Amino acid sequence: MSIISAKDLCLWYGDHQALKNINIELSDRNITALIGPSGCGKSTFLKTLNRMNDLIPGVKITGDIRYEGTDIFSNEVDVNQLRKEIGMVFQKPNPFPMSIYDNVAYGPRTHGITNRVKLDEIVEQALRDAAIWDEVKDRLKKNALGMSGGQQQRLCIARALAVQPKILLMDEPTSALDPISTSRIEELVMELKEKYTIIMVTHNMQQAVRVSDDTAFFLLGELVEFGKTDDIFSQPGDPRTEDYITGRFG
């Protein structure tokens, strides 16, 4: 069952066409890795799924993206609600300059939850889901900027989970982290797919093999190949995919 799909999706930044006729269906409660060289359209595609590209001047989009059957570009769609259900974790950890607690409570508060007991429950659950509760439960009032990079990234994941999304978009969530923090985030991502659909951009082939169920290979704005990760890496159907995963370019 696909939770989100793109049909004939094209996107331009001014005169530059960044996405060319993307057709893909992404499964629910699954991890999809988006791979390909820099500038090939992976992050652009990811940000289109929750309309983050709306914020960039001069963007033109044609084609169709459907989330649970609804056209996300329809005038009836509430973009704030869309971004609540399709959360985003960025490449560099970006905690707000406030307490750990307030970082996680920020989203629920903006969506109208003010009851302290309810907020306490949400914050604890999100931090538990992000596998960081035990490390921070005694310093929730401390500034989040005092945490290590790996902890900050897990906090940003907790912040995204606090509004109870269905899909989590991750744009190279470990590229700024050390190997130990990276493996913790990878373990976390594999646990999270029990509850969430995860779509993750990664430059790291080994990471795609380790964590993802499906892999999509982008090149020069085109979706070259999409399928089960094991198949893509063991028997790629397109010579360009094989050239990329064997390191001939990229």
Side-chain angles (χ1 to χ4, degrees):
M1 166 75 183
S2 75
I3 187 167
I4 196 160
S5 61
K7 190 173 177 204
D8 301 330
L9 178 69
C10 297
L11 181 145
W12 290 261
Y13 295 123
D15 296 332
H16 170 64
Q17 188 170 0
L19 294 175
K20 301 168 186 170
N21 293 313
I22 306 297
N23 289 282
I24 193 169
E25 294 203 357
L26 301 172
S27 301
D28 193 12
R29 302 211 180 174
N30 198 330
I31 302 172
T32 302
L34 311 181
I35 64 168
S38 293
C40 67
K42 309 181 296 292
S43 294
T44 296
F45 173 68
L46 192 76
K47 289 173 186 163
T48 307
L49 298 177
N50 70 348
R51 293 184 50 178
M52 293 288 281
N53 287 320
D54 289 18
L55 307 170
I56 301 169
V59 163
K60 182 179 128 193
I61 298 171
T62 62
D64 196 42
I65 293 179
R66 293 196 172 263
Y67 162 59
E68 295 188 323
T70 301
D71 174 6
I72 69 164
F73 299 117
S74 153
N75 292 334
E76 274 86 77
V77 167
D78 176 344
V79 178
N80 287 333
Q81 182 64 25
L82 180 75
R83 292 187 188 139
K84 175 176 182 279
E85 294 187 28
I86 306 179
M88 184 102 186
V89 176
F90 295 93
Q91 189 168 356
K92 288 198 171 69
N94 59 344
F96 302 137
M98 52 179 73
S99 74
I100 294 170
Y101 182 98
D102 287 337
N103 262 273
V104 184
Y106 185 87
R109 280 178 177 142
T110 59
H111 291 286
I113 296 172
T114 53
N115 179 294
R116 183 67 193 212
V117 175
K118 181 75 177 149
L119 281 173
D120 287 351
E121 281 172 16
I122 291 170
V123 168
E124 178 173 345
Q125 189 58 53
L127 290 167
R128 282 187 186 282
D129 284 351
I132 194 171
W133 170 253
D134 289 338
E135 292 168 54
V136 301
K137 63 184 179 192
D138 298 326
R139 51 189 183 114
L140 295 175
K141 295 281 177 281
K142 294 267 191 329
N143 194 307
L145 301 180
M147 304 166 86
S148 71
Q151 288 176 324
Q152 286 188 6
Q153 191 62 305
R154 279 181 288 146
L155 176 68
C156 292
I157 293 170
R159 190 173 68 197
L161 298 180
V163 295
Q164 297 177 312
K166 293 183 182 174
I167 299 177
L168 204 52
L169 309 177
M170 303 182 119
D171 193 0
E172 294 196 58
T174 62
S175 67
L177 304 179
D178 62 87
I180 291 169
S181 298
T182 294
S183 72
R184 297 201 70 169
I185 299 274
E186 287 180 5
E187 286 166 18
L188 170 59
V189 166
M190 289 191 279
E191 286 166 21
L192 289 174
K193 80 165 180 179
E194 301 289 316
K195 296 184 185 174
Y196 308 94
T197 301
I198 296 170
I199 305 162
M200 180 165 140
V201 170
T202 179
H203 262 116
N204 182 327
M205 292 308 142
Q206 289 76 28
Q207 183 170 72
V209 171
R210 283 193 297 265
V211 307
S212 69
D213 302 294
D214 297 326
T215 293
F217 171 53
F218 284 77
L219 184 64
L220 300 172
E222 291 178 31
L223 174 60
V224 173
E225 194 165 349
F226 173 62
K228 293 281 162 220
T229 297
D230 292 348
D231 296 341
I232 295 276
F233 281 91
S234 61
Q235 305 165 302
D238 189 296
R240 292 169 294 176
T241 312
E242 185 168 6
D243 285 350
Y244 181 69
I245 63 180
T246 55
R248 288 194 193 116
F249 74 92

